[in-house]
Amino acid sequence: QVRDDGAATMLQGSVRRRNARQELSQRREARDDGMATLLQGAERRRRAKLEMNERRQKRDDGAATILQASERRRTARLDMQRRRKERDEQAVTRLQAALRGRTGRVEARKIKDAQKPKEPPARCECRAISSFTAQNDNEMSLNKNERVYCDRKDLDDADGWLLAKKVDGTKDGYVPCGYLQIVGEESEDYTELGDDSYRDDFSAQKSETYGDDFSKEKSNEDETYGDDFVADEAPQEESDEALA
């Protein structure tokens, strides 16, 4: 009985130990499951944090890119405004210089215009200081003191003959320049010398130009106009000085 009681006690102790080990194993397994669950939750939270950090990094990078682009645009606008301001200042400087130069040129032109002599009109009125008879169709006869129009430039550059036109416009033709005097510019030399000096001077000039043929024409003129074409030696010399 004692032995059976001891064996039963040992068996009961063995059962209790086995049950305790099973219970301990269950608790360990539950603990391990809990630890695994905790680990899984921690891993999920870690991954979530990483993803959130990545998204925040991307967001920050995007914001930084946007800020950089905005800064570049602002800097570009400032540079453009600075360049425009410099360009406007240069344009204003050039305009002021141009205005000063233009004002100076205008003033200089005014001074130059005021200093230079007034140009005579293109067409001037001339008076015939002696009568002239045309020898051909291209020439035009003139009476003494008759007034005609001629080009001032042609009159200044004339070498013997120039184209004249009557005041009434009825006829035009070539006349000797020595027979004409601009109205309003008659010099005292012309008045003192008289008409014969110009007539003789033109006769000499025409004789040099046309040769002996002019002598015949001169003799015909002498026959036609008489002593009016006869000139003294002294007036002849004075007329040369007056024409010079």
Side-chain angles (χ1 to χ4, degrees):
Q1 184 67 33
V2 171
R3 186 186 63 187
D4 293 336
D5 292 339
T9 302
M10 292 177 61
L11 181 61
Q12 292 174 357
S14 176
V15 170
R16 284 194 300 271
R17 285 193 298 273
R18 184 176 62 85
N19 292 334
R21 284 195 299 271
Q22 290 179 354
E23 186 178 355
L24 181 60
S25 297
Q26 291 176 356
R27 285 198 301 268
R28 287 179 177 176
E29 185 175 356
R31 185 191 63 184
D32 293 339
D33 292 339
M35 291 296 296
T37 303
L38 291 174
L39 289 175
Q40 291 175 357
E43 183 67 19
R44 286 192 299 268
R45 287 192 298 271
R46 188 181 66 82
R47 291 180 180 177
K49 288 181 180 179
L50 291 176
E51 292 178 359
M52 185 178 293
N53 291 333
E54 289 178 358
R55 288 195 297 269
R56 286 179 179 176
Q57 184 66 30
K58 291 181 180 178
R59 183 191 63 186
D60 295 340
D61 293 342
T65 303
I66 293 173
L67 289 176
Q68 291 175 358
S70 178
E71 182 66 19
R72 286 196 297 270
R73 288 194 296 269
R74 189 180 68 84
T75 306
R77 284 195 300 269
L78 292 176
D79 292 340
M80 185 177 295
Q81 291 176 359
R82 180 179 55 80
R83 289 196 297 270
R84 286 180 178 176
K85 185 176 180 180
E86 293 178 355
R87 183 189 62 186
D88 295 340
E89 291 177 354
Q90 292 176 0
V92 170
T93 303
R94 288 196 297 269
L95 181 59
Q96 292 176 352
L99 290 176
R100 288 195 298 270
R102 181 178 179 275
T103 303
R105 289 194 298 272
V106 170
E107 295 297 332
R109 190 179 296 109
K110 288 181 180 179
I111 296 174
K112 185 177 180 180
D113 294 341
Q115 292 178 351
K116 71 178 183 181
K118 295 183 178 180
E119 296 182 357
R123 189 180 71 168
C124 60
E125 184 178 357
C126 299
R127 178 181 67 85
I129 60 178
S130 179
S131 300
F132 171 73
T133 303
Q135 302 297 324
N136 52 52
D137 296 338
N138 293 332
E139 299 177 1
M140 182 177 66
S141 300
L142 294 175
N143 297 323
K144 186 176 180 179
N145 295 327
E146 183 179 1
R147 298 195 176 189
V148 296
Y149 288 132
C150 61
D151 194 338
R152 180 60 181 262
K153 183 178 180 181
D154 294 342
L155 184 62
D156 294 337
D157 299 339
D159 186 12
W161 297 82
L162 58 84
L163 182 64
K165 185 176 183 180
K166 290 184 177 294
V167 176
D168 55 6
T170 57
K171 188 176 181 181
D172 58 0
Y174 288 93
V175 296
C177 61
Y179 279 67
L180 297 178
Q181 174 63 29
I182 300 176
V183 176
E185 296 186 4
E186 294 87 348
S187 63
E188 295 179 358
D189 295 338
Y190 291 163
T191 305
E192 293 176 358
L193 294 176
D195 298 340
D196 294 338
S197 62
Y198 296 101
R199 187 183 301 109
D200 294 340
D201 182 71
F202 173 71
S203 299
Q205 182 180 3
K206 192 171 182 180
S207 178
E208 293 176 359
T209 305
Y210 299 98
D212 297 336
D213 294 338
F214 177 73
S215 300
K216 298 178 181 179
E217 296 178 0
K218 182 67 171 59
S219 61
N220 294 333
E221 292 177 358
D222 293 340
E223 293 176 0
T224 303
Y225 297 98
D227 296 337
D228 293 338
F229 279 84
V230 179
D232 297 334
E233 294 296 328
Q236 174 69 26
E237 296 176 357
E238 293 177 357
S239 64
D240 295 337
E241 296 177 358
L243 289 176

